[in-house]
């Protein structure tokens, strides 16, 4: 077991929570809930310290909090840019990135999007922003506080986001549809600063591995109204 002094130097495990991912969190800022909150409390229980939730509306702010020492642990999509500063566990949830377009769009699948003249709304600093920045050749990214918001406000051709919220947005806004196929798989993992001892990093990884292997993750997803099939398989990367 790791020392509480290394992972939680203030005597409290400060968990950086991104409220902007509906698969990982639900409820409200006043009463947050979801699998990330459950994992944070499980880590705190095993460490023997109380948990403080540090709430944000975007993943990039959650990253900054851990990097700057304002939080001890965060829950993020695995990304090589983030991995330069953060040590990730194995992914515990696998979700997909999806595109939405207007009904009259000539685009039919995710593979059709990367072409000249196509503007894609993305949430600034999100995992899919980072991924699409690296992978797109011809389409243009337009960044904002939310992918669907900038899509609507600026009349863009495509909105990008996590599949479940994108699907809900389309249902709530007639005249839109989801393109066939996913543009990426988004592995969600627990992350801590690389400044921690190797033993601390290993301990966090071992706890997450156990939660996956025992079915704890699948049960937590179901408890919060999500498909337990979103749980990653043991050893997924």
């Amino acid at each position: 077991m790791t020392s509480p002094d290394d992972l939680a130097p203030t005597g409290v495990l400060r968990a950086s929570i991104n409220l902007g991912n509906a698969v990982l969190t639900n409820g409200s800022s006043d009463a947050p809930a979801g699998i990330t909150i459950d994992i944070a409390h499980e880590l705190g229980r095993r460490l023997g310290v109380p948990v403080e939730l540090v709430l944000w509306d975007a993943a990039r702010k959650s990253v900054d909090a851990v990097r700057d020492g304002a939080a001890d642990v965060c829950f993020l999509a695995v990304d090589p840019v983030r991995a330069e500063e953060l040590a990730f566990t194995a992914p515990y949830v696998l979700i997909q990135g999806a595109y939405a377009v207007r009904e009259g769009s000539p685009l039919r699948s995710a593979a059709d999007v990367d072409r000249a003249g196509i503007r894609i709304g993305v949430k600034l600093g999100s995992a899919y922003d980072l991924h699409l920045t690296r992978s797109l050749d011809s389409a243009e990214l337009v960044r904002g506080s939310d992918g669907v918001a900038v899509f609507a406000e600026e009349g863009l051709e495509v909105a990008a986001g996590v599949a479940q919220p994108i699907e809900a947005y389309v249902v709530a806004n007639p005249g839109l549809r989801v393109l066939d196929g996913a543009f990426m798989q988004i592995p969600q993992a627990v992350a801590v600063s690389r400044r921690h001892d190797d033993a601390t990093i290993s301990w966090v990884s071992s706890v997450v591995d156990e939660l996956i292997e025992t079915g704890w993750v699948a049960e937590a997803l179901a408890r919060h109204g999500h498909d337990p099939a979103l749980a990653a398989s043991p050893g997924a990367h």
Side-chain angles (χ1 to χ4, degrees), residues 101-122:
V101 298
R102 293 173 181 82
E103 283 287 4
S105 171
L107 303 176
R108 310 309 302 179
S109 74
D112 298 334
V113 168
D114 190 13
R115 61 178 66 176
I118 299 298
R119 299 166 300 165
I120 306 168
V122 298

Side-chain angles (χ1 to χ4, degrees), residues 80-157:
V81 173
R82 294 170 176 170
E84 293 174 5
E85 298 179 306
L86 301 175
F88 286 93
T89 67
Y92 60 91
V93 163
L94 299 175
I95 57 181
Q96 293 183 326
Y99 290 132
V101 298
R102 293 173 181 82
E103 283 287 4
S105 171
L107 303 176
R108 310 309 302 179
S109 74
D112 298 334
V113 168
D114 190 13
R115 61 178 66 176
I118 299 298
R119 299 166 300 165
I120 306 168
V122 298
K123 186 169 187 173
L124 175 65
S126 62
Y128 41 93
D129 177 10
L130 299 175
H131 171 80
L132 292 172
T133 297
R134 292 190 297 269
S135 63
L136 292 175
D137 293 319
S138 300
E140 174 190 354
L141 294 178
V142 181
R143 299 172 177 88
S145 61
D146 187 78
V148 295
V150 71
F151 164 78
E153 291 164 3
E154 300 195 22
L156 306 180
E157 288 74 33

Side-chain angles (χ1 to χ4, degrees), residues 4-213:
D5 293 339
D6 186 52
L7 185 56
T10 64
V12 173
L13 183 67
R14 300 166 299 170
S16 196
I17 302 295
N18 171 24
L19 296 174
N21 188 323
V23 176
L24 305 184
T25 60
N26 51 43
S28 66
S29 57
D30 294 327
I35 189 170
T36 54
I37 286 88
D38 290 356
I39 294 175
H41 283 291
E42 182 64 14
L43 289 170
R45 184 187 70 79
R46 295 183 182 217
L47 203 60
V49 297
V51 173
E52 175 188 347
L53 302 180
V54 187
L55 307 178
W56 307 101
D57 61 359
R60 60 187 171 85
K61 297 178 183 179
S62 187
V63 172
D64 291 346
V66 172
R67 182 196 63 203
D68 298 340
D72 306 309
V73 61
C74 56
F75 304 85
L76 299 166
V78 178
D79 183 86
V81 173
R82 294 170 176 170
E84 293 174 5
E85 298 179 306
L86 301 175
F88 286 93
T89 67
Y92 60 91
V93 163
L94 299 175
I95 57 181
Q96 293 183 326
Y99 290 132
V101 298
R102 293 173 181 82
E103 283 287 4
S105 171
L107 303 176
R108 310 309 302 179
S109 74
D112 298 334
V113 168
D114 190 13
R115 61 178 66 176
I118 299 298
R119 299 166 300 165
I120 306 168
V122 298
K123 186 169 187 173
L124 175 65
S126 62
Y128 41 93
D129 177 10
L130 299 175
H131 171 80
L132 292 172
T133 297
R134 292 190 297 269
S135 63
L136 292 175
D137 293 319
S138 300
E140 174 190 354
L141 294 178
V142 181
R143 299 172 177 88
S145 61
D146 187 78
V148 295
V150 71
F151 164 78
E153 291 164 3
E154 300 195 22
L156 306 180
E157 288 74 33
V158 178
V162 172
Q164 287 80 2
I166 283 285
E167 291 163 358
Y169 178 75
V170 167
V171 169
N173 292 269
L176 304 177
R177 56 184 169 83
V178 178
L179 292 183
D180 291 338
F183 65 81
M184 70 177 295
Q185 186 178 72
I186 308 175
Q188 300 288 337
V190 182
V192 297
S193 171
R194 290 194 177 276
R195 295 189 300 268
H196 289 299
D197 294 341
D198 289 345
T200 295
I201 293 171
S202 178
W203 179 81
V204 175
S205 288
S206 68
V207 172
V208 173
D209 287 345
E210 180 185 331
L211 297 181
I212 296 166
E213 291 165 3

